């Protein structure tokens, strides 16, 4: 027996660090890390010790005999073309890298209590003696983990427990429901981890009557003040987008098992009453370019079966109450259009902004031409990568921040 | 519990290591570092910069030997804690058999550490007298979650250091192998200790949790503070007063310790063992 990682993997790589056999890949720094959503365990070298499962913040690592067969297969398939790494040959491991201590800033402001902000706070606690203030516009911490992750993935939300412990640290001051602007002057350094919450637009006529992924997911998760901006009309809906968010959306629309999910009665009733029985998932490019992960697709197909239709190379040109028109002239009759074609960052007051990429321009997290200002998470690298990828991202930012006030990083051998 | 124990027994079957045959104890030992220099108690201090490279290397070898000695000391405690804990458990249960497997592992590790330190440096190290006596008391009295969480603390702190050293090409090859053997087998021990801690704490009242949390924190302080002592600097002919002073204030080292204990603190927090009193001790020791 071995362990396997399921599709709920958060990729924060804490399992990579505890695996005594170097069996978990792609590790941070290896090709593919941060691109896909999942990490995999090499069944050829796993010794079944369970250290990965013990540390996994979202319970995605499981013994193979208790995991879904497709998870077992996916883990094995990832390594099919790769040589097994011989863990007892210690030179096949990455050498350690060290950060040399200096004084570092003493007062740091972290803006945003989502995964990027919380991982940055954690890293600051470990690497500096700074006092850290964390602010968020929302009254609750967790950001997209709380209000962006599909409600039928409760394991992923467990990570909020870790975040809550971080803000209880005596060197952390947590100010929920606070705007950052007034505070910035009081700090030696500011880490902006404000994410990229706004949905991208298709830019077609009639789109204002569609529902964005941002609105839908916020409504499902009960974000305070969030309302569903459209009336749900069956029997068919179109979801434009080929990322995991689009798949989440389609899955929730078609799921008959939301009873076990963490959603309000009202959300459940509205979905049940919608009469939506069929979803067309529209990719503007081919299946080869699709951004969803294999495991997310399997999960959707398992729940929705033939009630979901996957279409590729389809360019929408307009939306009317009759349906969605494509550039071929065809119209897909549907009651609702949902768009899930990615998120984009919004400009941050006082910082430069790269509108084309939707990010604050930065070098390894340091905002260009704004000393003392740093970015982490989606506003730093664009809206790509799952929750845990923010850990490596935040580590890089904090390393840059700390190095700015001290000597260069010391590379291990 | 039995399910975890069964799994761990299976894992031990898949890969158990025998330092006796895996390490060529007669091969000459080179002049590599004893640990990653960044892990030295003096790294990053002005004193470190004044040392020659040869002195720095020698310092890390003595520090590694001293840390290993603390490892042996704690493994002795641990073996007794486990033996006392399973004394009247049914011998056929997986939990019992795993417990004895762990004791056997620890026993081999202690011999391995002893031989490795003997080959690495001339003088022998020992934890200070007071620490040894307190350890004597602890191993006679501790039980339940205090025993298992203390085991976890000791293993986890050592484990993260050793993961760095085993991957470091600058470190003496024999030491790297010793560290990897320890890391592989400890990963199973830590899974077991976490499971036992969780189980013993289920249903524990606030008062008991408070006391246990504090006992564990104090044990952690003893373990960490006895890893590298004054004698190391004396044996190297350094100004021991100055070395102790600078080591104590070494924020680089404290930062490394905090980082290595991050997972441990997460775990203690999640099972309610990071009470305010315990957290104060961990902060003073430099683990939080």
């Amino acid at each position: 027996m071995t362990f396997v990682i399921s599709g709920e993997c958060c990729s924060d790589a804490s399992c990579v660090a505890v695996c005594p056999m170097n069996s978990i890949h792609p590790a941070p720094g290896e090709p593919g890390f941060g691109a896909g959503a999942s990490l995999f365990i090499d069944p050829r070298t796993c010794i079944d010790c369970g250290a990965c499962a013990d540390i996994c913040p979202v319970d995605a690592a499981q013994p193979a005999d208790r995991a879904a067969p497709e998870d077992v297969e996916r883990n094995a398939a990832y390594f099919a073309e790769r040589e097994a790494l011989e863990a007892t040959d210690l030179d096949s491991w990455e050498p350690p890298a060290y950060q040399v201590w200096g004084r570092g800033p003493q007062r740091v402001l972290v803006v945003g209590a989502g995964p990027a902000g919380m991982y940055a706070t954690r890293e600051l606690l470990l690497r500096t003696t700074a006092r850290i203030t964390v602010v968020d516009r929302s009254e609750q911490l967790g950001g997209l983990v709380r209000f962006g992750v599909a409600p039928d993935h409760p394991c992923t939300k467990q990570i909020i427990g870790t975040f809550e412990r971080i803000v209880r640290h005596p060197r952390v001051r947590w100010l929920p429901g606070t705007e950052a602007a007034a505070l910035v002057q009081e700090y030696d350094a500011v880490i902006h981890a404000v994410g990229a919450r706004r949905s991208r637009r298709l830019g077609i006529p009639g789109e204002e009557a569609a529902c964005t992924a941002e609105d839908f997911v916020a409504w499902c998760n009960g974000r305070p003040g969030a309302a569903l901006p459209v009336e749900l009309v069956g029997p068919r809906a179109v979801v434009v987008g080929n990322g995991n968010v689009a798949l989440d959306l389609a899955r929730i629309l078609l799921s008959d098992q939301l009873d076990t999910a963490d959603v309000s009665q009202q959300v459940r009733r509205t979905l049940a009453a919608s009469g939506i029985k069929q979803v067309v998932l529209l990719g503007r490019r081919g299946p080869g370019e699709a951004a969803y992960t294999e495991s997310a697709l399997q999960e959707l197909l398992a729940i929705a079966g033939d009630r979901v239709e996957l279409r590729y190379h389809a360019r929408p040109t307009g939306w009317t109450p009759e349906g969605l028109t494509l550039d071929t002239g065809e119209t897909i009759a549907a009651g609702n259009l949902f768009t899930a074609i990615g998120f984009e960052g919004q400009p941050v007051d006082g910082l430069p902004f790269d509108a084309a990429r939707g990010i604050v321009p930065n070098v390894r997290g340091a905002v260009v031409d704004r000393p003392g200002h740093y970015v982490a998470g989606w506003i730093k690298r664009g809206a790509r990568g799952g929750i845990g990828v923010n850990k490596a991202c935040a580590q890089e930012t904090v390393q840059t921040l700390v190095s700015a006030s001290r000597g260069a990083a010391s590379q291990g051998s | 519990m039995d399910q975890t124990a069964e799994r761990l027994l299976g894992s031990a079957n898949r890969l158990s290591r025998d330092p006796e045959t895996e390490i060529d104890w007669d091969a000459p030992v080179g002049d590599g570092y004893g640990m990653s220099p960044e892990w030295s108690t003096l790294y990053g201090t002005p004193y470190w910069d004044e040392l020659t490279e040869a002195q720095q290397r020698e310092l890390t070898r003595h520090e590694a030997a001293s840390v290993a000695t603390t490892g042996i000391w704690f493994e002795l405690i641990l073996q007794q804690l486990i033996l006392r804990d399973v004394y009247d458990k049914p011998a056929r249960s997986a939990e019992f058999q795993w417990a004895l497997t762990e004791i056997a592992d620890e026993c081999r590790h202690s011999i391995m550490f002893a031989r490795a330190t003997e080959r690495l440096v001339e003088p022998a190290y020992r934890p200070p007298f007071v620490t040894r006596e307190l350890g004597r008391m602890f191993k006679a009295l501790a039980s339940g979650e205090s025993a298992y969480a203390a085991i976890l603390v000791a293993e986890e702190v050592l484990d993260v250091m050793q993961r760095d050293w085993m991957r470091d090409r600058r470190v003496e090859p024999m030491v790297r192998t010793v560290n990897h053997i320890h890391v592989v087998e400890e990963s199973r021990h830590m899974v077991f200790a976490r499971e036992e801690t969780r189980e013993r704490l289920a249903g524990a009242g606030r008062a008991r949790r408070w006391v246990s949390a504090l006992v564990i924190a104090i044990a952690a302080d003893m373990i960490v503070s006895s890893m590298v002592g004054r004698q190391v600097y004396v044996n190297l002919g350094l100004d021991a007063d100055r070395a102790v002073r600078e080591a104590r204030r070494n924020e680089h080292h404290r930062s490394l310790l905090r980082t290595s204990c991050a997972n441990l603190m997460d775990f203690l927090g999640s099972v309610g063992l990071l009470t305010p009193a315990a957290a104060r001790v961990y902060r003073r020791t430099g683990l939080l």
Side-chain angles (χ1 to χ4, degrees):
Chain A
M1 271 305 138
T2 59
F3 274 71
V4 296
I5 299 180
S6 81
E8 292 217 33
C9 173
C10 73
S11 299
D12 88 343
S14 41
C15 53
V16 174
V18 299
C19 176
M21 296 301 285
N22 201 12
S23 298
I24 307 181
H25 300 276
E30 287 178 354
F33 180 79
S38 190
L39 304 179
F40 304 95
I41 298 177
D42 193 337
R44 298 166 296 183
T45 54
C46 171
I47 54 167
D48 203 23
C49 67
C52 52
D54 231 16
I55 208 75
C56 178
V58 297
D59 284 351
Q62 296 153 347
D65 54 353
R66 272 189 269 155
E70 54 271 25
D71 287 336
V72 179
E73 204 173 296
R74 253 179 337 103
N75 278 265
Y78 178 82
F79 296 98
E81 313 254 293
R82 293 172 172 82
E83 290 267 333
L85 286 178
E86 171 58 71
T88 52
D89 172 12
L90 292 169
D91 288 342
S92 70
W93 296 66
E94 277 289 299
Y98 294 97
Q99 175 85 37
V100 183
W101 180 264
R103 256 195 63 72
Q106 284 308 296
R107 298 167 307 169
V108 182
L109 177 65
V110 174
V111 186
M118 294 326 300
Y119 282 123
T121 305
R122 179 194 174 103
E123 197 64 15
L124 283 165
L125 286 173
L126 299 179
R127 300 287 179 194
T128 73
T129 48
R131 306 209 153 263
I132 304 144
T133 302
V134 180
V135 300
D136 198 290
R137 283 184 310 183
S138 162
E139 288 292 333
Q140 286 173 298
L141 54 76
L144 276 184
V145 183
R146 199 184 286 272
F147 297 122
V149 168
D152 54 343
H153 282 170
C155 285
T156 309
K157 300 198 177 211
Q158 285 178 16
I159 211 165
I160 292 174
T162 310
F163 297 165
E164 279 167 352
R165 279 196 295 282
I166 294 173
V167 295
R168 278 204 303 269
H169 193 282
R171 279 197 278 133
V172 176
R173 188 164 63 129
W174 159 229
L175 302 175
T178 308
E179 292 286 338
L183 296 170
V184 168
Q185 264 73 33
E186 299 168 25
Y187 293 86
D188 304 328
V190 183
I191 297 181
H192 304 268
V194 294
R197 211 179 63 183
R198 207 175 66 178
S199 282
R200 278 186 197 284
R201 310 282 153 167
L202 275 171
I204 60 169
E207 189 182 4
E208 56 288 351
C211 179
T212 63
E214 175 195 347
D215 286 334
F216 185 82
V217 173
W219 168 72
C220 271
N221 283 292
R223 193 176 81 205
L228 192 61
V230 296
E231 196 188 333
L232 297 184
V233 184
R236 186 189 287 137
V238 180
V239 177
V240 182
N242 258 185
N244 277 1
V245 177
L247 268 53
D248 280 349
L249 230 155
R251 194 182 66 247
I252 293 167
L253 286 173
L254 294 174
S255 176
D256 310 317
Q257 292 139 11
L258 276 184
D259 292 352
T260 55
D262 182 22
V263 294
S264 70
Q265 272 300 335
Q266 185 236 336
V267 167
R268 215 169 287 162
R269 264 200 301 269
T270 309
L271 284 171
S274 72
I276 294 177
K277 297 271 179 273
Q278 208 191 350
V279 170
V280 179
L281 197 67
L282 212 66
R284 290 169 299 167
R285 289 179 292 173
E289 288 93 359
Y292 52 68
T293 52
E294 196 49 42
S295 60
L297 181 64
Q298 282 165 1
E299 190 187 0
L300 170 65
L301 295 177
I303 282 177
D306 56 2
R307 291 180 295 155
V308 63
E309 182 190 341
L310 308 176
R311 293 192 57 171
Y312 300 98
H313 299 296
R315 294 220 149 258
T317 53
W319 169 249
T320 66
E322 278 71 59
L324 185 70
T325 316
L326 305 181
D327 59 353
T328 53
E330 180 195 352
T331 296
I332 303 174
N336 289 109
L337 171 65
F338 298 92
T339 56
I341 52 170
F343 295 89
E344 59 186 8
Q346 281 173 287
V348 179
D349 268 353
L351 299 187
F353 191 69
D354 178 342
R357 297 166 63 202
I359 60 166
V360 170
N362 68 89
V363 180
R364 296 177 68 79
V367 177
V368 172
D369 295 333
R370 292 292 189 286
H373 287 267
Y374 300 84
V375 280
W378 279 4
I379 195 67
K380 165 186 171 185
R381 57 179 210 278
R384 274 172 294 104
I387 295 160
V389 174
N390 289 299
K391 189 171 177 183
C393 174
Q395 280 168 345
E396 182 191 73
T397 295
V398 170
Q399 189 163 334
T400 305
L401 186 159
V402 169
S403 312
S405 49
R406 66 182 60 163
S410 158
Q411 190 68 39
S413 54
Chain B
M1 186 69 243
D2 254 15
Q3 219 177 4
T4 304
E6 249 167 55
R7 184 171 300 286
L8 293 172
L9 277 170
S11 171
N13 261 339
R14 270 177 90 107
L15 187 71
S16 263
R17 316 232 345 220
D18 185 2
E20 199 62 42
T21 56
E22 245 186 274
I23 296 173
D24 180 2
W25 292 104
D26 297 325
V29 176
D31 64 350
Y33 283 86
M35 56 164 71
S36 300
E38 287 84 354
W39 265 103
S40 166
T41 51
L42 290 184
Y43 187 90
T45 65
Y47 206 167
W48 175 266
D49 296 332
E50 288 171 26
L51 301 179
T52 65
E53 208 233 294
Q55 279 177 309
Q56 293 174 347
R57 203 166 30 204
E58 199 53 23
L59 173 61
T60 63
R61 290 164 78 100
H62 281 258
E63 288 179 301
S66 177
V67 169
T69 306
T70 307
I72 295 172
W73 165 72
F74 199 79
E75 278 171 349
L76 290 182
I77 294 180
L78 192 156
Q79 292 178 49
Q80 296 181 59
L81 287 176
I82 296 181
L83 206 49
R84 274 183 35 226
D85 189 55
V86 299
Y87 172 70
D88 57 357
K89 291 221 164 107
R92 290 189 191 187
S93 70
E95 188 180 0
F96 177 88
Q97 291 180 23
W98 167 254
L100 289 199
T101 307
E102 180 162 338
I103 292 172
D105 287 348
E106 297 300 0
C107 197
R108 282 199 313 273
H109 294 167
S110 291
I111 300 171
M112 170 177 81
F113 282 147
R115 294 181 80 169
T117 54
E118 194 188 340
R119 310 222 60 208
L120 200 61
V121 293
E122 181 46 50
Y125 288 98
R126 231 166 28 141
F129 176 74
V130 178
T131 308
R132 293 202 310 265
E133 289 309 307
L134 283 170
R136 199 191 295 280
M137 214 165 71
F138 185 75
K139 72 190 165 69
L141 299 174
S143 66
E145 69 274 6
S146 316
Y148 280 104
I151 291 173
L152 183 64
V153 170
E155 286 170 344
E156 188 118 9
V157 177
L158 208 60
D159 181 70
V160 181
M161 296 180 181
Q162 292 185 329
R163 274 169 202 268
D164 281 349
W165 308 345
M166 76 187 197
R167 287 148 56 206
D168 199 324
R169 277 84 165 145
R170 297 166 297 181
V171 171
E172 182 58 32
M174 172 194 70
V175 178
R176 293 178 67 189
T177 309
V178 163
N179 286 341
H180 189 231
I181 290 175
H182 197 242
V183 161
V184 170
E185 302 194 327
E186 287 312 301
S187 68
R188 291 190 280 257
H189 299 179
M190 291 189 297
V191 168
F192 184 66
R194 281 204 187 92
E195 181 89 10
E196 288 281 0
T197 305
R198 270 189 217 109
E199 209 163 81
R200 306 296 165 101
L201 272 173
R206 280 183 61 186
R208 182 174 136 198
R209 206 177 285 262
W210 194 90
V211 173
S212 295
L214 194 60
V215 168
I216 296 158
I218 293 170
D221 180 66
M222 304 291 307
I223 295 159
V224 172
S225 55
S226 65
M227 279 184 174
V228 175
R230 186 186 174 81
Q231 197 55 39
V232 167
Y233 312 119
V234 173
N235 287 345
L236 282 158
L238 303 182
D239 173 348
D241 286 335
R242 183 183 167 198
V244 168
R245 202 169 52 239
E246 294 200 15
R248 197 167 289 155
R249 281 200 237 121
N250 187 350
E251 279 297 341
H252 167 75
H253 198 256
R254 290 171 73 90
S255 157
L256 273 183
L257 268 182
R258 276 201 299 276
T259 312
S260 17
C261 291
N263 289 339
L264 174 66
M265 293 300 140
D266 271 349
F267 172 76
L268 294 177
S270 71
V271 294
L273 287 176
L274 213 51
T275 57
R280 260 197 302 281
V281 177
Y282 289 123
R283 275 205 304 287
R284 211 199 51 197
T285 316
L287 303 186
L288 188 65

